[in-house]
Amino acid sequence: MALNKTVNRICSLCSKSPIGLLNNVAKRNSHFVYTPDANLPIQGKTEKLNMFQAINNALDITLRTDKTAMVFGEDVGFGGVFRCTVGLRDKYGKERVFNTPLSEQGIAGFAIGVANMGSTAIAEMQFADYIFPAFDQIVNEAAKMRYRSGGQFDCGKLTIRSPAMAVGHGALYHSQSPESYFAHTPGLKVVIPRSAIKAKGLLLSCIRDPNPCIFFEPKILYRAAVEQVPVEDYELPLGKADVLTDGKDVTLIGWGTQVHVLLEVAKLAKERFDVSCEVIDLVSILPWDTETVYKSARKTRRVIVSHEAPQTCGFGAELCSSIQEECFLHLEAPVTRVTGFDTPFPHIFEPFYLPNKWRCLDAIEKIMNY
Amino acid sequence: MSTSLYRRCFGLVFDGIFRKNSGRKAYLFSTEAKGSPLFPGARTRWTEELKFTGKENYEPIPVYRVMDRQGRVIQDSHNPNLSDDIILGMYEKMLYISVMDKILYESQRQGRISFYMTNSGEEATQIGSAAALNISDVVYGQYREVGVLIWRGFTIQHIADQCYGNSDDLGLGKQMPVHYGSKQLNFVTISSPLATQIPQAAGAAYALKGTNRVVICYFGDGAASEGDAHAAFNFAATLDCPVIFFCRNNGYAISTPTDEQYKGDGIAARGPAYGINALRVDGNDVFAVYNATKMAKTYCLTENKPVIIEAMTYRLGHHSTSDDSTAYRPIEEIKAWTSDSPILKLQTYLKERDLWNDVKEEETLERTRKEVLKAFYAAEAKLKPKWTEMFGGVYADTPAHLKKQMDDMRAHMEKYKEHYPLDKFTQA
């Protein structure tokens, strides 16, 4: 694939640059170890891709197979600041892959209009931290269009992609995890992949789902998430959680980057306390897979939910409350949250802010001794 | 907003690559040509004079009109020469709106519907622009554009059903009165948040490029202050969208007069700043509005570019049934504009050409009143949709958690049904 060669060449050029770039995170000491996806969703040929290449591949497939599809946002024309759209403008033309003016509310509103007319709109918000100017368009418009018109109009063909979550040094406005703001909005779907394989399949599902979807891409995984990704077109189900390791003592639930933290924590808990952890990647924030979560909670009787976003009203609160309501008689300990703190996301203090493996391990010890 | 250091850094890196790969070309770049600066951000000349650019430097944009205040065509070459049938159709529809408005306004006062917004004084902006377009052209509106729907064939029954939120309402009773929409008539459902439809209209126009259709988007002078209006104008200009931005400048946003809304030359003057051609028209002159919209549509289709039309008018009625406008504007002002209304102007034009008279006027008013009341009583008598419809249409399919909430509600209703107004609703 010539495209990937170009991408790799560009990436190697970027990483040689003396300037510390946000997307040059693979070189840094990060707070997690990446666990590649072992299970392939489909048989057939694979190629080694990282997450941004897998996303690029999903967009490529979409543009090739759906003539109405267009990809737009700030700086997507030259390939995007995280390289997710590299080569697409050359391949499909600037009518279908184009830069917009620098206005998130404009991007969202424009995208809704494109989708209203039945065309596939794939809009990019450069960072999830900058999605808030579009909050009104997403929450008051996109989410409610089908409902308020009695099904006459909708913008189901809309997908908003946005890099999210911690990156090591992103500080207040390049690190946020705003999923819970949107989880409170009926009419939206919110999805977060943990790997390159998942990113491709889930993004294709979001794009083809007949509802407006928000797809948050953990930016620290753009380069760190490398695995053998199927070359073919495939979709992965929305609203479905993945049980990654079976366990009997405690259920650990996370999404995005945090899944990799939890997988490592599960190993540590086994080694240190001989505790058997069941690790679940929630995958879909809205709607979320209640069945898989409750089943696991009833089995292990202890649940820890972990996310990077602040604790108060984070999505963990919704999980805790629902698990408490549905699994009350099975629980041996209070459902626990290990999350970011109720502060803005700090720059220099990031190592202390993140719900890292040590804080998660601490929580396991506490829940086991409750 | 997202001007991150990071973004600039990235640019630098790429710049570096670019220079490396095309190093030989680099020296061809210059910062000046023929004594003019070559800043990438503007094409202009140097000056050594230090002087502000402001409103004093240019004339306000004039208001285009076809008829004078007495309804006489000033220059025959500008008469759109519509057939008598079409002009009579325009007049009758404008009359229709005013009769309907009166009845529905009164019905809200009597507590029969929860809310209403009239269109008084703005009938010509609605009918004149609607008549210049085809039904295949897509409309995005704000809330004071019912005439566009009526011109396209939306019936009084549709309107009454929507205001009552009964089971025949196309919107299934989910929104407040006046939030109309019709897929069949290419009129996108109205929503309350102001100006959100403006960038949507630009996106819709982009998607429709090459299909020989345009999009028209209506909004008020107040809504034009929203960030979404700025985003939309800029997007439409930079992305070459065939969209007509139609501003109804009626002097007020609820109680806020335009001199508290903006300090520039209205909305039309903003057009050129975005690189958009603008027109300012007499919104009380149905022919002027028609001509402007017709020209805008032709230009949109041939150039694939947007147009801003600012129709100058006056909001004769209260902002809505929740507003008493005499609290913030003099009654004399309202009276003055009432005698200069778009309906009277067109009526004079028709009477002078013997196409209309007082007898016809009375007959039409009477017939319309009966028709509106009939539809209105019919709408009032209809049952509301099933209560379970509350859960419908949130998503394309009903997800499990919503099914569960609906089942929980069903069980609760079984137990407490006497406390709910079930007799007014279709049985679930």
Side-chain angles (χ1 to χ4, degrees):
Chain A
M1 209 172 141
L3 180 60
N4 278 334
K5 271 192 197 149
T6 321
V7 172
N8 289 332
R9 196 172 58 83
I10 290 168
C11 295
S12 66
L13 283 166
C14 296
S15 52
K16 281 175 193 153
S17 130
I19 304 163
L21 289 177
L22 267 188
N23 64 355
N24 200 0
V25 292
K27 292 200 162 332
R28 299 178 164 261
N29 294 330
S30 55
H31 67 286
F32 70 100
V33 174
Y34 181 74
T35 309
D37 264 354
N39 296 334
L40 286 180
I42 52 163
Q43 296 308 306
K45 218 169 118 231
T46 63
E47 60 180 328
K48 192 176 171 185
L49 298 179
N50 63 25
M51 190 184 275
F52 83 64
Q53 291 165 323
I55 287 162
N56 182 282
N57 183 228
L59 296 174
D60 193 357
I61 288 171
T62 303
L63 289 158
R64 192 175 65 235
T65 54
D66 175 354
K67 292 296 171 237
T68 72
M70 42 187 113
V71 173
F72 50 88
E74 295 156 18
D75 305 304
V76 302
F78 89 118
V81 297
F82 285 115
R83 323 311 301 130
C84 292
T85 53
V86 157
L88 299 177
R89 183 171 59 183
D90 290 344
K91 212 164 165 180
Y92 299 102
K94 61 177 174 37
E95 290 290 307
R96 298 183 65 200
V97 182
F98 52 91
N99 292 338
T100 63
L102 206 159
S103 167
E104 287 76 16
Q105 62 195 104
I107 293 168
F110 183 90
I112 291 167
V114 168
N116 282 163
M117 295 300 109
S119 296
T120 301
I122 306 159
E124 178 182 305
M125 299 287 165
Q126 198 158 76
F127 286 87
D129 314 64
Y130 306 134
I131 204 168
F132 299 110
F135 202 68
D136 184 41
Q137 283 285 356
I138 296 169
V139 169
N140 271 334
E141 293 290 318
K144 297 172 173 57
M145 210 153 231
R146 184 192 309 273
Y147 189 78
R148 74 182 184 212
S149 67
Q152 293 188 94
F153 294 93
D154 67 72
C155 57
K157 286 184 174 289
L158 163 68
T159 303
I160 294 175
R161 300 174 36 243
S162 190
M165 301 189 165
V167 70
H169 51 285
L172 288 80
Y173 308 112
H174 297 86
S175 310
Q176 291 180 58
S177 303
E179 63 271 10
S180 69
Y181 289 101
F182 297 101
H184 194 58
T185 306
L188 296 177
K189 290 195 173 181
V190 182
V191 181
I192 305 176
R194 69 169 180 274
S195 71
I197 290 175
K198 292 291 285 186
K200 177 176 170 179
L202 289 167
L203 181 54
L204 283 166
S205 294
C206 282
I207 290 167
R208 292 161 185 170
D209 188 89
N211 300 288
C213 294
I214 304 181
F215 190 73
F216 287 124
E217 300 161 2
K219 69 179 87 70
I220 205 164
L221 299 180
Y222 276 139
R223 282 155 207 281
V226 181
E227 60 216 4
Q228 290 293 330
V229 180
V231 174
E232 287 302 303
D233 184 339
Y234 63 93
E235 290 171 35
L236 293 171
L238 306 181
K240 195 83 202 66
D242 292 341
V243 179
L244 298 178
T245 60
D246 285 329
K248 58 180 182 45
D249 298 326
V250 58
T251 300
L252 309 179
I253 307 173
W255 48 89
T257 317
Q258 200 59 16
V259 172
H260 301 286
V261 174
L262 295 178
L263 285 168
E264 204 185 343
V265 167
K267 283 200 196 84
L268 283 172
K270 188 80 199 146
E271 287 163 15
R272 296 194 176 205
F273 322 129
D274 195 31
V275 167
S276 155
C277 298
E278 181 142 304
V279 178
I280 296 180
D281 176 3
L282 195 63
V283 182
S284 272
I285 305 297
L286 184 70
W288 60 282
D289 185 351
T290 51
E291 218 171 306
T292 302
V293 168
Y294 298 157
K295 194 176 149 201
S296 178
R298 287 175 191 139
K299 179 177 76 172
T300 64
R301 301 165 165 268
R302 295 174 191 86
V303 183
I304 294 173
V305 183
S306 185
H307 56 66
E308 289 179 14
Q311 177 168 297
T312 302
C313 285
F315 198 67
E318 181 60 34
L319 288 167
C320 291
S321 163
S322 305
I323 292 165
Q324 186 275 134
E325 204 171 340
E326 294 292 329
C327 316
F328 186 70
L329 293 174
H330 296 79
L331 295 174
E332 298 282 359
V335 183
T336 306
R337 288 172 287 172
V338 185
T339 67
F341 296 110
D342 287 338
T343 71
F345 198 110
H347 183 231
I348 215 72
F349 308 113
E350 180 163 331
F352 306 94
Y353 177 88
L354 284 174
N356 63 18
K357 57 190 172 197
W358 307 118
R359 280 178 57 206
C360 293
L361 199 65
D362 206 2
I364 289 174
E365 207 176 352
K366 284 197 184 102
I367 207 171
M368 294 311 295
N369 295 330
Y370 186 79
Chain B
M1 167 88 206
S2 20
T3 48
S4 57
L5 169 71
Y6 159 69
R7 192 188 287 196
R8 287 204 302 273
C9 294
F10 209 90
L12 287 176
V13 177
F14 264 76
D15 245 21
I17 293 169
F18 179 73
R19 294 238 167 83
K20 227 184 308 188
N21 293 350
S22 56
R24 279 181 306 129
K25 278 186 191 163
Y27 69 88
L28 294 177
F29 279 107
S30 162
T31 65
E32 197 172 42
K34 295 179 187 147
S36 285
L38 289 177
F39 297 111
R43 280 192 204 154
T44 179
R45 58 181 176 83
W46 295 111
T47 178
E48 285 70 46
E49 190 186 0
L50 183 62
K51 189 174 94 182
F52 285 124
T53 300
K55 276 201 323 200
E56 297 68 32
N57 304 60
Y58 49 87
E59 281 290 292
I61 297 170
V63 183
Y64 168 76
R65 62 177 181 170
V66 174
M67 293 185 274
D68 63 15
R69 289 186 58 182
Q70 283 68 45
R72 281 185 293 257
V73 172
I74 299 160
Q75 282 183 31
D76 236 7
S77 60
H78 279 259
N79 190 331
N81 291 320
L82 298 163
S83 72
D84 291 346
D85 280 352
I86 289 181
I87 302 172
L88 279 167
M90 284 175 154
Y91 181 73
E92 283 178 5
K93 291 274 188 289
M94 284 159 71
L95 215 52
Y96 199 102
I97 299 167
S98 68
V99 173
M100 178 191 85
D101 272 351
K102 272 195 194 77
I103 293 172
L104 268 71
Y105 182 85
E106 285 310 318
S107 74
Q108 192 282 333
R109 297 283 98 180
Q110 296 165 17
R112 300 170 90 147
I113 56 175
S114 65
F115 180 77
Y116 194 69
M117 297 177 110
T118 63
N119 303 273
S120 320
E122 299 179 49
E123 298 90 346
T125 62
Q126 301 172 9
I127 297 298
S129 58
L133 300 171
N134 300 337
I135 285 198
S136 61
D137 295 322
V138 176
V139 181
Y140 281 80
Q142 179 166 305
Y143 49 62
R144 219 181 292 280
E145 292 91 15
V146 76
V148 179
L149 270 165
I150 288 175
W151 182 261
R152 290 184 172 214
F154 206 64
T155 64
I156 180 64
Q157 196 61 62
H158 283 130
I159 288 165
D161 288 342
Q162 198 282 329
C163 289
Y164 271 105
N166 62 34
S167 51
D168 283 348
D169 167 24
L170 295 172
L172 300 171
K174 284 169 181 171
Q175 290 207 88
M176 284 172 81
V178 185
H179 292 56
Y180 312 111
S182 169
K183 182 82 184 166
Q184 206 194 340
L185 304 176
N186 280 310
F187 190 103
V188 180
T189 302
I190 299 292
S191 74
S192 308
L194 286 179
T196 47
Q197 77 281 12
I198 315 179
Q200 291 167 13
Y206 188 92
L208 292 180
K209 256 195 237 190
T211 60
N212 211 33
R213 297 160 75 187
V214 296
V215 175
I216 188 162
C217 176
Y218 296 88
F219 54 95
D221 50 275
S225 294
E226 291 279 5
D228 273 336
H230 164 65
F233 297 161
N234 204 22
F235 274 55
T238 56
L239 297 170
D240 294 332
C241 306
V243 56
I244 302 167
F245 295 120
F246 193 106
C247 177
R248 298 175 289 94
N249 190 334
N250 63 14
Y252 291 91
I254 306 188
S255 71
T256 306
T258 49
D259 68 355
E260 292 173 21
Q261 197 65 249
Y262 54 74
K263 283 293 177 224
D265 177 29
I267 312 304
R270 297 177 198 176
Y274 290 101
I276 299 177
N277 282 348
L279 295 165
R280 175 174 278 162
V281 300
D282 178 358
N284 295 356
D285 174 344
V286 74
F287 295 154
V289 174
Y290 177 89
N291 285 351
T293 313
K294 204 87 186 155
M295 183 166 107
K297 178 176 172 171
T298 306
Y299 171 85
C300 281
L301 287 180
T302 52
E303 302 290 325
N304 259 335
K305 285 189 167 65
V307 176
I308 294 178
I309 297 176
E310 182 180 26
M312 309 312 287
T313 179
Y314 185 85
R315 196 194 77 212
L316 283 179
H318 302 306
H319 164 73
S320 73
T321 46
S322 312
D323 169 52
D324 172 9
S325 63
T326 55
Y328 51 79
R329 56 182 188 180
I331 291 182
E332 292 71 29
E333 180 185 282
I334 304 173
K335 278 198 180 124
W337 284 102
T338 307
S339 61
D340 191 23
S341 80
I343 291 182
L344 284 176
K345 196 180 284 195
L346 190 58
Q347 190 188 84
T348 322
Y349 174 90
L350 290 169
K351 279 180 174 171
E352 289 209 348
R353 303 179 65 213
D354 272 340
L355 291 166
W356 200 254
N357 53 46
D358 290 344
V359 178
K360 276 187 180 170
E361 177 88 2
E362 261 323 298
E363 279 173 0
T364 311
L365 286 173
E366 196 44 41
R367 196 178 59 243
T368 308
R369 250 182 236 124
K370 279 187 180 140
E371 200 182 321
V372 171
L373 284 168
K374 193 176 148 212
F376 194 74
Y377 292 136
E380 197 165 47
K382 289 177 193 175
L383 285 174
K384 311 295 183 204
K386 297 174 185 169
W387 68 261
T388 47
E389 183 50 55
M390 172 168 74
F391 294 93
V394 180
Y395 293 93
D397 300 316
T398 310
H401 71 285
L402 264 184
K403 278 201 188 87
K404 182 184 176 299
Q405 289 173 21
M406 188 159 74
D407 293 343
D408 290 350
M409 185 62 183
R410 202 189 298 277
H412 164 78
M413 295 279 284
E414 276 308 305
K415 232 168 116 183
Y416 286 88
K417 54 166 111 28
E418 69 275 23
H419 300 289
Y420 290 90
L422 280 173
D423 57 322
K424 294 189 176 68
F425 287 75
T426 309
Q427 229 178 337

